[in-house]
Amino acid sequence: MSKSYQNPIVRGMYPDPSIVQVDGTYYLANSTFEYYPGIAISQSQDLVNWQQMPGVIKTTKQADLTQAKSNEGIFAVNIRYYHGYFYVITTNFSEFKTIIIKGQLDKQQQQIIWENQRVEVDIQGIDPDLYFENNHVYVQFTGYIDNKGTKAIQQVEINLTTGQILRDPQVLTLGTGGRDVEGPHIIKRNDWYYLLMAEGGTGLGHMLTMQRSHNLWGPYQAPLEVNPLFTNRDRADEPLQNIGHADLFQDVQGNWWLTCLGTRPSPLDFSRITNLGRETLLYPVIWDKEWPQIYQGVPTQSVDLTKFAQHAKNIGEQKLENFTDDFKNNQLNSEWLSLRNNLKERLHLEPGKLTLVGSDYQIEDLGTPSFIGIRQSEAQETFSVTLDSQTTQLNQGQAGIISLINADHYLALMLKYDKLQQQYQIFKVIKVADLKQVETVATMQTLPEKLLIRNKPASKQFVACWSDQEIAFELSALHLSNEAVAALNTGDVQGIYVLGNAQLTICQAQRY
């Protein structure tokens, strides 16, 4: 039991959280957009220490991400447990299809085995939610209801096995007056159906709102004083911003909790920038009146459970652990991501080594480049890879270390071998929108032993290391911020990148 913890509970790009509790274990689902595997799944015993599980979507039959543009792909995910099975429902925006994938715990109760087949639900919208009642299954979602751009929360009844719509879409609410009403979840309590929503757009105006009805099909209403239910839209000094898109769930003792997304902007002169994307937050909830009271009413970074004794019983000692991968297992660590599809024969694992073989796809291409990375989890942290010089072969290609937020905004330190001069070229690559700069930084006689990215709130330093020296250059972190991209779906991902007929072998990767 712990009397306090820090938000985010899952750090880095883990947006649109949805949590379900099964037999004392909590399972968290997050959106992944164009990254692969699709749909991130984590598990926890104490709500504050989470272990990444293998992602859900690993085949194009489940969801085809191969044509997903930046900030497309797997949108808001909802996870539920019903009659012994997990169900995730999401919209693959690149296909614009709403899909349900079913899963079941293995015999050891350690992993979820997800089915390869999906169920499609023919609705025109995003942010789907599953609600089960009396052997009936309902899907809530947000979508346009006219050609003027009016959004509404709508609902259908479906056949869970086939996805067939049994009752056509009906508008539940237009929201409480905020723009972009989305992220619906229905909770039934004391004969009331409570509809949790997000409004205001997933930026500084983001907020949680709620309405209720005695009838599942509405109308849903709320007194003016109820909303916004939870937000920091008018609290610019709070370290957490963009609070929204939430889910309500109960712990093993029946206490209510709210998980939602938020950002941790970093101060930069007179502005604040977001490199980490939207992260997963957690707050205790009390239903002592007709409407839920979320924590103390303010989305704070530090959560004091002194006044939430029953909730505190479920919270363990929070441990913020670094990431180290020595590639000792025959399976890739679940934190690694590629773009749009798996890397197939281009990725090789052997004891103590990971080898990535190059391709002609570049990061800005709509495809699967030879890139593999992990999320940046802190504004100030270092990501490093240790090279295996015996196996690494640059040939006529290139290889290096890279940080990206989307296909058109990335920074990299790349290596190339000049066969004529018999030396290695180190150059920096800057891609910002339609501008791309490639500049030679140095030449060396040997390969670096390590490549690093030293992330700071205002900058990213790229470093090539030998035992006796470093070569480094520094670039603005603003280039890879949500503010630069003007889209808030993703955050920075850092990893290795190989072009052409080169291959890069690393024997360790760290984030610390």
Side-chain angles (χ1 to χ4, degrees):
M1 183 176 85
S2 181
K3 292 185 179 180
S4 67
Y5 62 89
Q6 296 290 314
N7 275 313
I9 56 166
V10 186
R11 308 168 90 81
M13 184 191 69
Y14 288 96
D16 309 322
S18 179
I19 293 178
V20 65
Q21 181 264 126
V22 179
D23 296 332
T25 299
Y26 303 93
Y27 298 88
L28 163 69
N30 294 99
S31 306
T32 46
F33 301 96
E34 68 266 34
Y35 289 97
Y36 188 94
I39 306 180
I41 299 290
S42 307
Q43 64 178 351
S44 174
Q45 303 297 319
D46 63 6
L47 289 173
V48 292
N49 297 293
W50 293 85
Q51 179 182 2
Q52 185 107 14
M53 303 177 74
V56 176
I57 293 172
K58 295 182 177 179
T59 69
T60 54
K61 284 186 177 181
Q62 294 168 302
D64 189 349
L65 303 176
T66 56
Q67 299 300 307
K69 298 177 183 177
S70 291
N71 288 279
E72 289 188 358
I74 298 300
F75 269 43
V77 180
N78 173 243
I79 186 169
R80 292 292 181 256
Y81 189 78
Y82 181 66
H83 289 178
Y85 291 93
F86 292 92
Y87 293 89
V88 288
I89 184 169
T90 185
T91 302
N92 179 12
F93 199 83
S94 55
E95 296 179 278
F96 204 71
K97 289 184 181 296
T98 293
I99 57 176
I100 298 172
I101 301 175
K102 181 180 176 182
Q104 190 174 30
L105 282 167
D106 62 13
K107 293 180 179 179
Q108 291 75 34
Q109 306 289 293
Q110 296 296 315
Q111 299 293 338
I112 303 174
I113 308 302
W114 298 98
E115 294 185 356
N116 193 37
Q117 299 296 323
R118 70 187 188 186
V119 172
E120 295 183 12
V121 182
D122 187 16
I123 53 176
Q124 298 299 305
I126 61 171
D127 295 6
D129 175 58
L130 281 172
Y131 177 73
F132 302 93
E133 184 175 76
N134 298 329
N135 294 319
H136 291 263
V137 184
Y138 306 90
V139 174
Q140 299 78 39
F141 64 99
T142 182
Y144 296 110
I145 58 172
D146 57 32
N147 56 11
K148 299 177 182 179
T150 305
K151 281 186 176 179
I153 301 300
Q154 303 168 61
Q155 180 171 268
V156 294
E157 182 180 354
I158 67 164
N159 180 312
L160 186 61
T161 303
T162 65
Q164 177 188 1
I165 293 177
L166 304 179
R167 179 168 173 176
D168 289 339
Q170 179 174 319
V171 172
L172 301 185
T173 180
L174 298 176
T176 67
R179 56 167 282 199
D180 292 330
V181 60
E182 59 190 18
H185 296 296
I186 284 183
I187 304 97
K188 190 174 184 182
R189 187 175 182 276
N190 295 342
D191 296 324
W192 283 99
Y193 295 94
Y194 287 85
L195 177 58
L196 179 67
M197 301 169 286
E199 299 182 56
T202 188
L204 293 175
H206 218 19
M207 58 182 174
L208 298 180
T209 59
M210 180 174 274
Q211 294 176 328
R212 69 179 185 177
S213 173
H214 279 302
N215 189 321
L216 178 62
W217 293 90
Y220 285 83
Q221 299 173 331
L224 289 176
E225 64 270 16
V226 169
N227 292 301
L229 191 68
F230 204 53
T231 184
N232 269 344
R233 64 179 187 177
D234 297 321
R235 302 186 184 98
D237 293 335
E238 284 292 331
L240 297 179
Q241 292 294 319
N242 302 11
I243 307 296
H245 203 113
D247 195 9
L248 282 162
F249 68 96
Q250 289 178 281
D251 63 28
V252 293
Q253 295 179 327
N255 303 300
W256 283 92
W257 296 83
L258 179 130
T259 183
C260 63
L261 63 77
T263 62
R264 287 182 288 161
S266 297
L268 182 61
D269 296 326
F270 295 103
S271 63
R272 305 172 84 183
I273 66 170
T274 307
N275 289 98
L276 307 179
R278 302 171 300 169
E279 306 178 279
T280 293
L281 316 178
L282 179 74
Y283 297 97
V285 175
I286 298 293
W287 289 82
D288 58 353
K289 297 179 181 178
E290 293 186 342
W291 298 89
Q293 173 67 34
I294 304 171
Y295 188 45
Q296 297 172 358
V298 177
T300 57
Q301 194 162 13
S302 179
V303 179
D304 182 359
L305 295 176
T306 304
K307 297 180 180 179
F308 299 87
Q310 295 304 312
H311 291 77
K313 293 178 181 179
N314 295 272
I315 299 296
E317 180 183 353
Q318 191 175 28
K319 300 174 184 177
L320 300 180
E321 297 182 350
N322 296 326
F323 172 87
T324 299
D325 194 348
D326 296 317
F327 311 109
K328 294 180 180 178
N329 299 322
N330 58 3
Q331 288 189 331
L332 192 65
N333 188 296
S334 296
E335 289 204 34
W336 289 105
L337 297 167
S338 59
L339 283 163
R340 302 180 187 87
N341 208 338
N342 65 54
L343 292 161
K344 300 177 182 177
E345 68 280 356
R346 285 183 272 152
L347 181 67
H348 303 281
L349 276 175
E350 55 184 298
K353 294 180 182 181
L354 179 149
T355 298
L356 184 60
V357 177
S359 77
D360 292 332
Y361 283 114
Q362 301 191 56
I363 295 294
E364 54 263 47
D365 295 332
L366 187 62
T368 300
S370 290
F371 160 81
I372 186 170
I374 63 173
R375 298 163 178 85
Q376 182 181 338
S377 63
E378 301 294 338
Q380 186 149 336
E381 72 176 20
T382 297
F383 172 73
S384 73
V385 293
T386 302
L387 275 59
D388 184 316
S389 60
Q390 300 299 315
T391 314
T392 295
Q393 298 175 3
L394 296 184
N395 299 316
Q396 287 78 48
Q398 305 170 23
I401 194 168
I402 186 170
S403 179
L404 67 145
I405 192 169
N406 75 350
D408 293 319
H409 291 76
Y410 62 84
L411 308 172
L413 182 157
M414 299 296 285
L415 306 170
K416 183 164 61 173
Y417 184 65
D418 187 332
K419 189 175 181 180
L420 184 64
Q421 300 293 326
Q422 293 189 337
Q423 58 188 8
Y424 293 93
Q425 294 180 332
I426 300 171
F427 55 97
K428 63 181 175 183
V429 180
I430 305 171
K431 180 73 167 74
V432 179
D434 60 345
L435 302 176
K436 188 171 183 178
Q437 178 185 349
V438 179
E439 178 183 328
T440 301
V441 175
T443 57
M444 298 295 293
Q445 297 302 311
T446 60
L447 272 172
E449 297 170 11
K450 284 189 175 185
L451 299 176
L452 289 79
I453 303 175
R454 293 185 179 128
N455 294 291
K456 302 174 184 178
S459 66
K460 292 176 181 284
Q461 185 184 51
F462 290 76
V463 189
C465 298
W466 291 260
S467 58
D468 57 349
Q469 74 174 116
E470 289 186 357
I471 292 174
F473 57 86
E474 195 163 85
L475 300 168
S476 174
L478 177 63
H479 294 316
L480 305 190
S481 67
N482 291 131
E483 289 72 17
V485 179
L488 283 164
N489 284 352
T490 56
D492 288 8
V493 177
Q494 50 204 356
I496 57 174
Y497 174 42
V498 187
L499 281 167
N501 65 345
Q503 69 175 40
L504 180 65
T505 299
I506 59 175
C507 50
Q508 187 184 70
Q510 289 185 297
R511 180 182 60 204
Y512 54 93

